[in-house]
C-alpha cells in the first residue's frame, strides 16, 4: 500500500446531501431553480453594467466582478450536484474532483476579498465623497480586482499542490456533495498535518482579514450615517447597510464554521449545511441584495429595456 500514490485512485463517490430517494426529485427541482436564478441574476447584472454607461464606475466594476465570481462558483458545484440527484451512483473521476476543488477554492477565496473590497469602496464613497474619484480611481480598482483574483489563485494552488501529494486508500466515498478540502482529507491514509496547518492558516487570513476590513468599514460608515440629519436618509442608509451585513454574515459565518477548525473536530454533516449557504444560496442572494435595491441599477435597467424593446408610439 505504501507504494501506491494518489494517481491509483481513479474515481470518488459523492455521498450527496441526502440518501433518501423521496427527497432526490424535490431537491433537484429546488436547486435547479436556485441555479437558474443565480445564473440569470448574476449574468444579467454583468450585462447591465457592461451596456449602461452610467454604471461605469469603480463601485459597479467591483459589483460586476462579484457577480462573475458568484456565477462561476455556483457553476463549479451545482451542475454536478444536479446530475447526482438523478443518478444512482454519484461518481466523480479523480481529475475532475481535483479540478472542482481547485476552482471552487479559488472563487470562494476571491469572494471573501471581493466583499472586503466592496465594503471599503462603500466607506470611501460615504466618508470621502469629494475624494472618491481620486481614492478609487480606475487604476486602483483594477489593482484591487487583480489582487482579489490573485489571492484566490494562490490559495487554491497551495492547497491543491499539497492535496496531490496525499495517498487515498481508506475509502472512495466522499462525505459531501462536492470535492471539498476536509472531506477529501478524511479519505487520506497518509499524514494530513501539513494540509490542516495550511488550511487553518489560509482560512484564518482569507476570512479574518476581510472580516476585519468589512467590520472596520461598516463602523466608519455607521458613524457617518449617524451624522446625516435627514431621518429618511438615515433610515434608508441603515436599511441598505443591514442588507449588506446580512449577506456578509451568512457567507463568512458559514465559511468560518466549515474551515476555522481542524477536520478532526468539524462535523462534516453540519458542514454540508453550511456549504449550501456559502456555495449555493449566497451567490443567488448577492444580486438581489447588492443590486435590486439600488436606485441606479433600477433606472439603468429600465433604460436598457426601453432600448431593447422600444415602445410603439403610433
Amino acid at each position: 500500500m505504501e507504494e501506491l500514490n494518489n494517481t491509483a485512485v481513479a474515481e470518488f463517490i459523492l455521498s450527496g446531501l441526502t440518501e433518501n430517494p423521496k427527497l432526490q426529485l424535490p431537491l433537484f427541482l429546488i436547486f435547479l431553480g436556485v441555479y437558474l436564478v443565480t445564473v440569470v441574476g448574476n449574468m444579467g447584472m454583468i450585462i447591465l453594467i457592461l451596456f449602461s454607461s452610467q454604471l461605469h464606475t469603480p463601485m459597479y466594476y467591483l459589483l460586476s466582478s462579484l457577480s462573475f465570481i458568484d456565477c462561476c462558483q455556483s457553476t463549479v458545484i451545482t451542475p454536478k450536484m444536479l446530475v447526482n440527484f438523478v443518478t444512482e451512483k454519484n461518481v466523480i473521476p479523480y481529475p475532475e474532483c481535483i479540478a472542482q476543488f481547485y476552482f471552487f477554492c479559488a472563487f470562494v477565496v476571491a469572494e471573501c476579498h471581493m466583499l472586503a473590497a466592496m465594503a471599503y469602496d462603500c466607506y470611501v464613497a460615504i466618508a470621502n465623497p469629494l475624494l472618491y474619484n481620486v481614492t478609487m480611481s480606475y487604476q486602483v480598482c483594477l489593482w484591487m480586482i487583480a489582487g482579489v483574483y490573485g489571492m484566490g489563485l494562490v490559495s487554491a494552488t497551495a492547497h491543491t499542490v499539497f492535496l496531490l501529494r496525499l495517498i487515498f486508500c481508506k475509502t472512495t466515498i466522499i462525505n459531501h456533495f462536492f470535492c471539498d478540502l476536509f472531506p477529501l482529507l478524511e479519505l487520506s491514509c497518509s499524514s494530513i498535518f501539513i494540509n490542516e496547518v495550511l488550511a487553518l492558516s489560509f482560512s484564518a487570513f482569507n476570512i479574518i482579514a476581510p472580516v476585519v476590513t468589512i467590520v472596520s468599514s461598516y463602523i466608519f460608515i455607521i458613524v457617518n450615517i449617524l451624522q446625516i440629519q435627514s431621518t429618511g436618509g438615515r433610515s434608508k442608509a441603515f436599511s441598505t447597510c443591514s442588507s449588506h451585513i446580512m449577506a456578509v454574515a451568512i457567507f463568512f459565518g458559514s465559511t468560518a464554521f466549515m474551515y476555522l477548525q481542524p477536520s478532526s473536530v468539524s462535523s462534516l454533516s453540519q458542514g454540508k449545511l453550511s456549504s449550501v449557504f456559502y456555495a449555493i444560496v449566497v451567490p443567488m442572494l448577492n444580486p438581489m441584495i447588492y443590486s435590486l435595491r439600488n436606485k441606479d441599477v433600477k433606472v439603468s435597467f429600465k433604460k436598457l429595456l426601453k432600448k431593447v424593446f422600444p415602445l410603439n408610439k403610433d
Side-chain angles (χ1 to χ4, degrees), residues 228-302:
I228 300 176
Q229 296 182 356
S230 171
T231 305
R234 187 185 304 171
S235 61
K236 183 179 179 180
F238 268 122
S239 176
T240 302
C241 284
S242 63
S243 299
H244 293 180
I245 293 173
M246 179 181 66
V248 170
I250 293 174
F251 178 79
F252 281 102
S254 55
T255 52
F257 178 84
M258 184 67 183
Y259 296 109
L260 288 183
Q261 53 182 324
S263 60
S264 58
V265 177
S266 62
S267 170
L268 293 180
S269 298
Q270 294 177 350
K272 289 182 183 181
L273 181 60
S274 66
S275 297
V276 168
F277 277 99
Y278 72 80
I280 299 175
V281 176
V282 171
M284 178 190 67
L285 294 178
N286 279 341
M288 305 176 190
I289 295 175
Y290 287 96
S291 308
L292 297 182
R293 300 183 64 182
N294 187 296
K295 183 179 179 180
D296 293 336
V297 171
K298 289 182 179 180
V299 172
S300 299
F301 181 68
K302 291 179 181 178

Side-chain angles (χ1 to χ4, degrees), residues 120-134:
Y120 174 75
D121 174 78
C122 186
Y123 157 71
V124 174
I126 293 178
N128 300 294
L130 298 178
L131 298 176
Y132 178 78
N133 292 331
V134 177

